[in-house]
Amino acid sequence: MLAGRNRPRPSGAAHRDPERTRKRLLQAAFQEIYRSGFRSADVDAILAKAGVTKGALYYHFDSKEALGYAVVDEVIASNLHQKWVQPLRNAKNPIDVLVRIIQSESLKRADVQRGCPLLNLSQEMSGLDEGFRRRTAKVYKDWHDAMAEALREGQKRRVVRSDIDANETATFLMAAWEGYVVLGKNSQDPRMMESGQRRMSGQLESLRPARGRARAASRD
């Protein structure tokens, strides 16, 4: 815990531009947690990267846990929303959108080796801290619900097969993709993610009605 009885007084910088200071702390904490995990994340490294004092940290967050919770709620959730949720809103064809998202995943070795920030933190902390478990579960639920809703809308537009269960399919897609991310991180081999992109894209193509698959094939 960072909190203590004798907290340092907040720095002047925290008062001059508190919102900017808070954002810098969150981004620095996200990078440190992504690199080292939450339990091994070094507070001094976060402060150095953010360019703020410990007083500024205490001004915004009561503890290391509170900082970690905010990273999930405000950084990880926002990143996932921008990548997965927003593009699916009002998508004319969710399959096209999902294929693009999958194909846009970085295959740089460094990115493959680091894995998924949400998955990393969920695996590390869900069994240890209920606050982290609830927060990461909410991010996963938002991801799932965005895909399921987009698939249902696609069924209404007849660009998604009518015989699939949108909720179950969204769960499968999310689990399958995160599984490839785990295997890529473990193997530290971008070829695992390349394989994942191919297999996931094929799975998504199979969700089109037969007529839609024929049109997609003709475009290729």
Side-chain angles (χ1 to χ4, degrees):
M1 299 284 286
L2 294 177
R5 293 183 179 180
N6 299 314
R7 294 184 180 181
R9 296 183 64 184
S11 67
H15 289 292
R16 286 194 297 271
D17 195 348
E19 188 58 31
R20 182 182 178 189
T21 298
R22 190 174 186 279
K23 288 180 179 179
R24 280 159 48 191
L25 279 166
L26 284 172
Q27 287 299 325
F30 168 73
Q31 292 297 334
E32 176 66 10
I33 292 169
Y34 194 15
R35 183 181 70 84
S36 303
F38 176 76
R39 286 173 295 177
S40 297
D42 185 81
V43 173
D44 290 334
I46 294 171
L47 296 176
K49 189 172 183 65
V52 302
T53 66
K54 191 168 287 187
L57 174 62
Y58 282 121
Y59 178 77
H60 292 285
F61 303 102
D62 289 336
S63 64
K64 182 180 178 181
E65 285 76 14
L67 177 60
Y69 293 164
V71 166
V72 179
D73 293 339
E74 300 179 42
V75 181
I76 293 177
S78 176
N79 291 346
L80 185 136
H81 187 276
Q82 291 177 21
K83 180 177 180 180
W84 290 92
V85 177
Q86 189 63 38
L88 286 169
R89 286 185 174 170
N90 302 316
K92 292 182 178 179
N93 193 319
I95 296 175
D96 290 342
V97 173
L98 289 168
V99 169
R100 284 198 298 269
I101 294 172
I102 292 294
Q103 292 297 326
S104 71
E105 185 75 13
S106 172
L107 296 177
K108 294 180 180 178
R109 186 173 296 274
D111 293 333
V112 172
Q113 289 173 345
R114 290 195 303 172
C116 168
L118 174 61
L119 179 61
N120 293 348
L121 196 53
S122 178
Q123 287 183 315
E124 179 191 4
M125 298 302 298
S126 289
L128 303 175
D129 185 287
E130 179 63 13
F132 276 110
R133 189 201 67 76
R134 286 188 288 102
R135 285 169 170 83
T136 54
K138 182 180 184 303
V139 180
Y140 274 123
K141 184 178 186 302
D142 291 344
W143 182 6
H144 168 275
D145 290 352
M147 286 198 291
E149 178 60 23
L151 290 172
R152 281 192 290 270
E153 289 299 315
Q155 287 174 320
K156 293 177 183 177
R157 295 189 180 99
R158 298 183 179 181
V159 295
V160 175
R161 280 169 38 199
S162 61
D163 62 327
I164 68 163
D165 183 288
N167 283 319
E168 290 183 358
T169 301
T171 298
F172 171 80
L173 293 172
M174 189 167 64
W177 180 244
E178 289 287 71
Y180 274 112
V181 173
V182 168
L183 293 174
K185 180 180 179 180
N186 181 260
S187 66
Q188 300 190 14
D189 187 348
R191 291 176 298 180
M192 179 62 71
M193 293 304 296
E194 288 179 327
S195 174
Q197 287 178 329
R198 290 194 302 272
R199 301 298 296 180
M200 290 295 297
S201 295
Q203 181 64 36
L204 286 164
E205 293 295 340
S206 75
L207 301 180
R208 300 184 194 271
R211 186 171 52 185
R213 290 199 297 274
R215 283 199 298 266
S218 66
R219 290 200 302 268
D220 296 338

